[in-house]
Amino acid sequence: MPDFLKTFYVPSSEHLIEYDSASVTTPTDDMFESQKKQLMEVEKSRTWSGSLMDTKLGEFQTTFGQERYTRSLPMSHSKQCYAMVGLPARGKSYIAHRLARYLNWIGVKSKVFNVGKYRRELVGVNMSCDYYDPNNSDGADSRKMVAGHVLTKIVEWFRDDPEAKIAILDATNTTRERRDMILDRCLPENIKVMFIESALDDPTIEENNIKEHKIRCPDYQGCEPDTAFKDFSERITNYKKAYQTLCLDLDRELSFIRVSNITQFHINNISVMFSPNLPIF
């Protein structure tokens, strides 16, 4: 059986915490308490770097079971926004929807807010790659307007639904200016923010993602595949001009998870507990 969580490594500590799903198929309350204590001990470091192997969520859910798993480590009652970060074709929407599905499955009401969907509603489809050029002031203003609109929708969702717990902002959010905009909108509403960046440096995977998913999206309805592929590739190039990745040197005060090539995880300012209820920050 594949592992869900293989290791967490804390660079400022000597602790190495290993979790093997095969060895805890019937967890007890004592086991959960022991794991909580270990994680609380290393929480003092507040900066984590690790590797997550075989992240097969369905097997993890089946192994542990919803009832015991959720009652062992209660979730924070705060409102939270998980804001995706990363260039296009990095799997952000996939992560967002899998995360929302999982959270809703365990009883944590969550919703994905896809900025692309709202952008198509507000400014239309078939926007060329030039729309995403940071040197295009009209395009930049339009994208900022759309981002503000979606943030307002998130705030309204929390206000209107007392059961709402986690909003997942599915967007690129590739600059510190845009991430500051998210913080400035959410924090006054007592909505905690965590950023989840998906980074990828394998051009083969990028190309496959574009061909398998992006050229079929509503932005390219009626377009020839080759034309759509070229335009989307140029869209990525335009995003790269202004892309500012999350890093400890400049973003240490933020709560974030940076996923590199699907396997390497860097976790900052988050108390990670052995629970599907996810981070407390």
Side-chain angles (χ1 to χ4, degrees):
M1 181 182 296
D3 299 344
F4 176 75
L5 267 177
K6 190 67 175 180
T7 60
F8 275 119
Y9 172 64
V10 187
S12 58
S13 169
E14 296 180 354
H15 292 275
L16 178 65
I17 301 175
E18 298 186 0
Y19 296 108
D20 186 337
S21 60
S23 67
V24 288
T25 52
T26 54
T28 65
D29 290 339
D30 289 342
M31 291 170 62
F32 277 109
E33 288 302 316
S34 175
Q35 290 156 358
K36 278 201 300 183
K37 289 179 180 178
Q38 291 183 64
L39 287 166
M40 291 301 289
E41 288 176 3
V42 300
E43 185 203 356
K44 297 176 183 179
S45 69
R46 303 300 291 171
T47 300
W48 294 54
S49 177
S51 175
L52 192 61
M53 309 294 290
D54 278 314
T55 55
K56 297 193 175 182
L57 190 56
E59 295 182 12
F60 185 58
Q61 293 169 339
T62 302
T63 300
F64 289 96
Q66 179 178 0
E67 181 179 356
R68 174 178 293 279
Y69 209 41
T70 54
R71 71 181 175 87
S72 297
L73 291 170
M75 171 152 181
S76 167
H77 294 290
S78 63
K79 298 175 290 185
Q80 299 179 10
C81 174
Y82 296 169
M84 304 304 300
V85 175
L87 296 169
R90 264 58 184 173
K92 298 184 301 299
S93 294
Y94 177 82
I95 293 171
H97 285 279
R98 284 296 299 267
L99 183 56
R101 184 170 64 180
Y102 182 44
L103 289 167
N104 283 309
W105 181 80
I106 63 171
V108 180
K109 189 165 187 179
S110 307
K111 182 178 179 180
V112 176
F113 293 80
N114 180 270
V115 171
K117 172 180 176 292
Y118 286 98
R119 187 255 304 157
R120 286 186 283 270
E121 293 175 356
L122 294 172
V123 301
V125 297
N126 299 324
M127 308 300 293
S128 74
C129 59
D130 294 334
Y131 177 77
Y132 303 93
D133 190 332
N135 298 316
N136 179 352
S137 58
D138 290 339
D141 290 342
S142 175
R143 288 184 284 116
K144 184 176 181 179
M145 178 273 294
V146 174
H149 175 80
V150 178
L151 288 171
T152 297
K153 290 292 184 181
I154 289 175
V155 171
E156 291 175 348
W157 180 63
F158 280 119
R159 287 177 178 173
D160 295 342
D161 189 346
E163 299 298 319
K165 293 295 183 184
I166 297 177
I168 303 176
L169 178 58
D170 182 14
T172 54
N173 301 318
T174 48
T175 66
R176 290 188 175 84
E177 179 182 1
R178 181 56 52 82
R179 297 194 285 269
D180 285 343
M181 179 180 176
I182 296 170
L183 294 168
D184 291 343
R185 188 69 177 90
C186 290
L187 295 183
E189 300 288 339
N190 294 318
I191 302 171
K192 294 185 177 181
V193 178
M194 179 180 71
F195 297 99
I196 304 175
E197 180 176 12
S198 181
L200 177 68
D201 57 19
D202 188 329
T204 302
I205 297 178
E206 176 183 305
E207 181 178 340
N208 289 338
N209 285 344
I210 297 173
K211 289 181 177 179
E212 293 179 10
H213 304 288
K214 298 303 181 181
I215 64 175
R216 298 189 182 94
C217 78
D219 285 340
Y220 296 111
Q221 288 183 353
C223 289
E224 292 294 326
D226 289 345
T227 301
F229 179 85
K230 180 180 178 181
D231 183 86
F232 197 88
S233 297
E234 292 177 356
R235 182 192 298 193
I236 295 175
T237 299
N238 282 329
Y239 268 108
K240 286 181 179 179
K241 295 176 182 178
Y243 183 27
Q244 297 170 313
T245 186
L246 291 163
C247 67
L248 290 179
D249 289 342
L250 299 175
D251 303 303
R252 185 173 292 275
E253 77 283 0
L254 301 180
S255 296
F256 68 81
I257 300 173
R258 189 174 190 274
V259 187
S260 301
N261 297 316
I262 307 173
T263 57
Q264 298 297 318
F265 282 56
H266 303 277
I267 305 176
N268 185 65
N269 279 341
I270 300 169
S271 301
V272 182
M273 290 191 173
F274 194 60
S275 164
N277 295 337
L278 290 180
I280 300 172
F281 54 95

